[in-house]
Amino acid sequence: MNEEPSRSVSGPEVGRPASAEGPLRGRALAAQTEVTRALVQEALAGAPEPVGQLVRALTPVIQGRVARCLLARGVGRTRPIREEVEDLCQDVLLKLFAADGKVLRTWEPERGLSLPAFVALVAERVTVSTLRSGRKSGWREDPTLDGERDGEGDEPSPQRRSASREQLERLLDRLK
């Protein structure tokens, strides 16, 4: 009765690292990591096509993390956050490639994060930092129409008219 232990049909165990699925899977992940590392190096060298590939691949990851951060902090309950997500996505991409790719160069797959996971972490940090500092905080402001501002569009009160008239009379006296 030499039976093999039963294996799950649904795939690897939850929580089990993908590289531990077997030697073939581990080699495939290592090869994929090397391809990704080469793409990042080419992009950092300034080649336009790899930069475009990298931006296209990472933009959905960045947008998802930024949107999640904004929604978790209550931004978007009163109005759509699409523009803020797009702005912060650009900020994250700028952060990744600024100073000759300083932040992107710090990605090391040996530390355990894939490139998308690393970029998502950077996106979260940039978003939280921006929210905390109040920079580019268009979502904090409550835009109003021109006619909705205090005192505009309304009929002035008698007191305001009287004060305005007195001011104009004093100005006219000084001019004479």
Side-chain angles (χ1 to χ4, degrees):
M1 289 217 184
N2 292 339
E3 293 182 21
E4 290 183 7
S6 63
R7 294 185 184 243
S8 172
V9 178
S10 64
E13 296 176 21
V14 176
R16 186 174 174 189
S19 61
E21 288 181 29
L24 293 178
R25 178 72 175 151
R27 281 187 231 135
L29 285 174
Q32 182 181 7
T33 300
E34 287 307 312
V35 168
T36 304
R37 188 189 308 251
L39 179 65
V40 168
Q41 293 304 322
E42 289 176 26
L44 290 173
E49 185 58 33
V51 170
Q53 288 177 348
L54 209 53
V55 168
R56 283 189 298 279
L58 297 176
T59 296
V61 173
I62 295 168
Q63 288 175 335
R65 184 59 63 98
V66 167
R68 194 173 313 137
C69 288
L70 291 175
L71 290 172
R73 285 156 181 80
V75 177
R77 290 186 184 150
T78 57
R79 62 184 213 192
I81 61 170
R82 175 176 281 165
E83 290 176 12
E84 284 81 6
V85 169
E86 289 173 359
D87 288 345
L88 284 167
C89 182
Q90 288 179 357
D91 290 348
V92 171
L93 287 169
L94 286 173
K95 180 80 168 176
L96 287 170
F97 287 99
D100 196 33
K102 181 179 177 182
V103 172
L104 196 53
R105 289 182 193 280
T106 63
W107 171 63
E108 296 176 7
E110 296 81 22
R111 293 176 137 183
L113 287 179
S114 65
L115 181 61
F118 173 78
V119 169
L121 180 63
V122 171
E124 184 172 340
R125 288 180 177 173
V126 168
T127 302
V128 169
S129 175
T130 301
L131 288 172
R132 191 176 297 138
S133 70
R135 293 176 310 182
K136 297 185 181 182
S137 59
W139 48 83
R140 286 187 180 177
E141 298 171 4
D142 187 21
T144 56
L145 296 174
D146 288 339
E148 294 178 353
R149 289 190 220 157
D150 293 340
E152 288 187 16
D154 298 337
E155 188 65 30
S157 68
Q159 292 86 6
R160 280 185 89 181
R161 267 191 271 162
S162 175
S164 177
R165 185 169 297 148
E166 288 174 11
Q167 230 178 1
L168 286 172
E169 288 175 359
R170 282 192 302 244
L171 179 64
L172 187 59
D173 288 340
R174 289 177 99 190
L175 287 173
K176 287 181 182 178

